[in-house]
Amino acid sequence: MPAPSPDDPRALTALSGLGVISALGTFSFLPLVVSQAIAQLGMSARAAGLLAAAEMAASGVATFLASFVVHRLDRRRLSLLSLCLIAAGSAISMWVGHFAVMVFGRVVTGLGEGGLLAAVIASMAGTRLPERNFGIWTIANMAAATALLFIVLPAVIACWGIDGVFAAYLCLALPGFALLVWYPHSAPAPKSAPVAAGSASRSEGAAVILCLLAILLAHLAHGGIWAYMARFGEGSGLTAQATARALGFAAFAGLLGGIWVTLLGTRYGRVWPNVAALALSAASALLVAAARTPAVFVMAAMCFYLAWVFGLPYLMGIASALDPQGRAATLGIVMQNIGLAVGPAAAGALAGVYEYRVVARIGFALYILALLVTAPLARRVDRGRLKSADEDRAPA
């Protein structure tokens, strides 16, 4: 079957499905691997943490390295190789109690996750409506994670324990091989292509760097605040159980944010969606810091998650517009991962010296900085889009 264009519905289905496979490994399966390694295999918390670190580090390294060459690769073949690594790593990890073998299996799996994620992000960046498509992928991720965490995996763990977790990820990867039939065609860029991100001009290379900086700043704040959101909830007077329910409401608000992205797209440009998302993130950080009642905390948590999920596709959309070949968008994922890893660590250090509310206030400052960087970039991209549209309408 001939490969469709990136904007073909079949291609978008394939990209969304493969994107779910690449993301669920570290966000849904990994916490369960850690908990079961401690409870079932008797590993220490440190050893189980090394399992998680090995997989996440391998995934991050693979995504980072792929970002420099993904524009020259056949992404369908890269996806095929990555799926094979995910399946092999999951198989290696099953029915093995030896720590070194499990670490090797998690490294192999992580390399597959990172390579598949790089291929999907680069391909989505080249679509006609990347913001909408990133939003669709976000919705698919959240729906799949909800089904797995609340329905599938509890029953799997009850029957087969940690081996069931690895087997479930192996089974999840198998439909990906079928989705490759619909993977969009991606002709490698010629070897003489300019190395500057987005174009040969230095100004656009600088714009890409600023865009990546904005993504990093936003996710430093996201990671730092979200990691201690439960502590903020308890500080507002909620019990631990009530805080968990409040965070569930926040996740539902995030789902609504993803739906909103798919409906809005770039109909009104990229400036106002980016400004609105980062401004709402900043406002939610202030609300979190000021929350003294449960009602205020619940409102702050819902605004926080909605702004996060709504704003991410638009930040990625700027990166995609600056570099349609996908290198900048792939590096954007790397910036997200760095921010989500460093943010909680930095927030913990600050909270240990000061208090948790200082974390939210610093998050507010980071959001404002990200907004000041993002707004001019979004305006620049919108002007370029309007100019291109005017040229297309001009008579030959």
Side-chain angles (χ1 to χ4, degrees):
M1 183 180 296
S5 71
D7 294 293
D8 188 288
R10 295 172 297 165
L12 296 177
T13 299
L15 292 176
S16 296
L18 292 169
V20 167
I21 293 171
S22 69
L24 286 182
T26 51
F27 289 102
S28 295
F29 285 89
L30 196 56
L32 299 177
V33 170
V34 172
S35 64
Q36 287 301 302
I38 295 173
Q40 180 184 336
L41 302 181
M43 288 188 184
S44 65
R46 179 176 178 274
L50 287 175
L51 283 180
E55 182 171 344
M56 293 189 71
S59 177
V61 168
T63 304
F64 177 72
L65 294 178
S67 67
F68 295 101
V69 296
V70 71
H71 62 295
R72 299 191 188 280
L73 300 177
D74 184 327
R75 293 166 196 161
R76 178 186 287 185
R77 292 185 178 181
L78 176 59
S79 299
L80 174 59
L81 174 61
S82 299
L83 286 170
C84 291
L85 289 174
I86 291 173
S90 299
I92 291 170
S93 303
M94 292 166 60
W95 304 300
V96 175
H98 194 279
F99 176 73
V101 177
M102 291 188 69
V103 168
F104 176 71
R106 303 329 299 155
V107 168
V108 172
T109 302
L111 291 173
E113 291 165 349
L116 185 59
L117 184 62
V120 169
I121 290 295
S123 295
M124 278 194 175
T127 59
R128 188 170 55 88
L129 300 171
E131 289 86 355
R132 186 202 65 177
N133 298 332
F134 284 129
I136 292 173
W137 176 33
T138 300
I139 294 172
N141 270 332
M142 298 184 75
T146 300
L148 284 169
L149 291 174
F150 287 97
I151 301 174
V152 178
L153 289 177
V156 168
I157 291 173
C159 293
W160 297 289
I162 192 171
D163 291 335
V165 177
F166 296 136
Y169 196 25
L170 174 60
C171 292
L172 179 66
L174 296 180
F177 292 97
L179 289 174
L180 290 178
V181 175
W182 290 348
Y183 198 96
H185 175 67
S186 57
K191 293 185 178 180
S192 59
V195 296
S199 88
S201 70
R202 291 184 179 179
S203 61
E204 292 203 8
V208 167
I209 293 174
L210 288 174
C211 180
L212 295 176
L213 174 63
I215 294 173
L216 176 62
L217 290 171
H219 283 80
L220 283 170
H222 289 333
I225 294 174
W226 183 249
Y228 294 94
M229 190 65 80
R231 300 292 296 173
F232 289 122
E234 293 169 12
S236 71
L238 288 174
T239 64
Q241 293 79 7
T243 299
R245 287 194 293 271
L247 297 183
F249 285 120
F252 178 74
L255 180 61
L256 294 180
I259 294 173
W260 197 8
V261 172
T262 63
L263 296 177
L264 184 64
T266 56
R267 187 177 306 171
Y268 302 105
R270 292 180 171 90
V271 176
W272 290 113
N274 276 289
V275 169
L278 290 168
L280 184 58
S281 292
S284 69
L286 290 182
L287 277 177
V288 164
R292 295 291 190 275
T293 64
V296 173
F297 170 75
V298 172
M299 180 186 302
M302 293 180 69
C303 289
F304 176 86
Y305 214 120
L306 184 145
W308 183 353
V309 177
F310 176 77
L312 176 57
Y314 285 104
L315 282 172
M316 295 295 289
I318 294 177
S320 302
L322 292 171
D323 178 18
Q325 293 182 350
R327 291 164 293 182
T330 306
L331 280 173
I333 295 295
V334 177
M335 294 299 104
Q336 291 176 46
N337 292 337
I338 292 175
L340 294 177
V342 175
L350 287 170
V353 176
Y354 301 101
E355 60 177 13
Y356 289 106
R357 300 189 191 282
V358 172
V359 173
R361 296 187 184 109
I362 292 178
F364 169 81
L366 291 173
Y367 287 132
I368 295 300
L369 286 175
L371 191 156
L372 294 175
V373 173
T374 300
L377 293 176
R379 185 179 299 110
R380 172 178 177 167
V381 168
D382 281 348
R383 286 176 178 171
R385 184 184 65 169
L386 291 175
K387 180 180 178 180
S388 178
D390 290 340
E391 291 175 351
D392 290 341
R393 286 193 296 266

